[in-house]
Amino acid sequence: DGGITQSPKYLFRKEGQNVTLSCEQNLNHDAMYWYRQDPGQGLRLIYYSQIVNDFQKGDIAEGYSVSREKKESFPLTVTSAQKNPTAFYLCASRFEITYNEQFFGPGTRLTVL
Amino acid sequence: AQKVTQAQTEISVVEKEDVTLDCVYETRDTTYYLFWYKQPPSGELVFLIRRNSFDEQNEISGRYSWNFQKSTSSFNFTITASQVVDSAVYFCALSGTYKYIFGTGTRLKVLA
């Protein structure tokens, strides 16, 4: 089955630790995205990537880093510099950079203790 | 600047009632797309519909219908004869060239 997988579903970390969230897609999509969702809020764009080995900052990139070494994978690292990392993180992808709908993964809920 | 406004934070209806979710957008682009997504309690966003800026035809899919009006910059979503399974958060989104702009979502509660 084609789709987007995110792991783990729930993640707990101590304050000050870096943590990496996984996102894999087998839809052969070119573009991939990371969003952050806080309770009662919409989705805010962290990073996006149009092609392999290229990515751009979104609206709230500070304290996060990404890599795009393979078309299928777009991992997100939440660093200790992110002041308030507890949130729900969603990964998405789409075929072309312009106008097509995005498909979303199931999300990772990160809690920093 | 681009913006999507969903003024209704939360709506509660009784099963079988009709309900309309409002979406108002701002953009200076002449070509753009609008989307609706459903986020059930599981968290994953599910794509519902895409509409381009040149197509103002209303769309109907089963109990769902969408009304796109460029004159008022609105793209409203109506659920007819709501069901408990419709309970979710619904997001409206606007696509620019590279990025989506999401509204803050409307939480719909359908009571049995």
Side-chain angles (χ1 to χ4, degrees):
Chain A
D1 282 336
I4 303 174
T5 56
Q6 290 185 245
S7 60
K9 190 167 179 63
Y10 299 96
L11 189 55
F12 297 90
R13 279 294 180 269
K14 292 183 179 178
E15 199 170 336
Q17 288 182 333
N18 291 357
V19 60
T20 297
L21 281 58
S22 168
C23 177
E24 304 276 334
Q25 56 98 0
N26 60 4
L27 300 167
N28 199 32
H29 285 175
D30 302 296
M32 297 186 74
Y33 303 78
W34 274 106
Y35 292 93
R36 170 181 172 141
Q37 185 179 21
D38 294 284
Q41 302 289 316
L43 278 67
R44 293 185 291 168
L45 182 64
I46 305 172
Y47 269 97
Y48 65 100
S49 169
Q50 301 172 48
I51 56 172
V52 174
N53 293 323
D54 186 52
F55 47 83
Q56 286 78 40
K57 293 181 179 179
D59 302 315
I60 56 164
E62 185 175 349
Y64 299 98
S65 66
V66 294
S67 63
R68 186 88 187 273
E69 297 176 1
K70 298 186 301 181
K71 188 175 185 178
E72 302 79 18
S73 178
F74 192 40
L76 173 74
T77 297
V78 185
T79 74
S80 56
Q82 170 47 235
K83 290 182 171 52
N84 185 18
T86 294
F88 187 55
Y89 291 87
L90 285 158
C91 179
S93 69
R94 65 176 174 177
F95 264 120
E96 302 170 50
I97 196 62
T98 53
Y99 305 133
N100 281 347
E101 59 271 23
Q102 295 183 350
F103 293 89
F104 285 81
T108 293
R109 191 167 299 280
L110 173 64
T111 302
V112 175
L113 306 172
Chain B
Q2 295 180 313
K3 188 178 178 182
V4 174
T5 301
Q6 294 181 256
Q8 304 153 308
T9 304
E10 184 169 314
I11 301 174
S12 292
V13 298
V14 176
E15 205 171 19
K16 296 185 183 177
E17 284 186 5
D18 298 347
V19 58
T20 295
L21 310 181
D22 298 332
C23 174
V24 175
Y25 65 93
E26 295 176 28
T27 182
R28 293 183 179 178
D29 293 345
T30 54
T31 300
Y32 54 88
Y33 276 72
L34 295 161
F35 304 81
W36 274 96
Y37 285 85
K38 174 182 180 180
Q39 186 178 40
S42 62
E44 181 173 344
L45 267 75
V46 177
F47 165 72
L48 296 177
I49 190 171
R50 175 180 67 168
R51 171 67 72 227
N52 74 55
S53 52
F54 300 106
D55 182 3
E56 287 196 69
Q57 266 193 324
N58 288 338
E59 176 96 7
I60 298 175
S61 176
R63 297 185 296 107
Y64 295 171
S65 62
W66 291 268
N67 184 321
F68 175 35
Q69 292 193 331
K70 286 181 75 171
S71 61
T72 56
S73 296
S74 65
F75 185 41
N76 296 336
F77 173 28
T78 296
I79 302 175
T80 304
S82 60
Q83 300 176 1
V84 172
V85 294
D86 295 326
S87 296
V89 180
Y90 291 86
F91 289 97
C92 180
L94 167 69
S95 177
T97 305
Y98 299 109
K99 303 193 296 184
Y100 273 38
I101 296 90
F102 284 85
T104 51
T106 297
R107 180 177 299 278
L108 174 65
K109 292 185 178 179
V110 181
L111 309 172

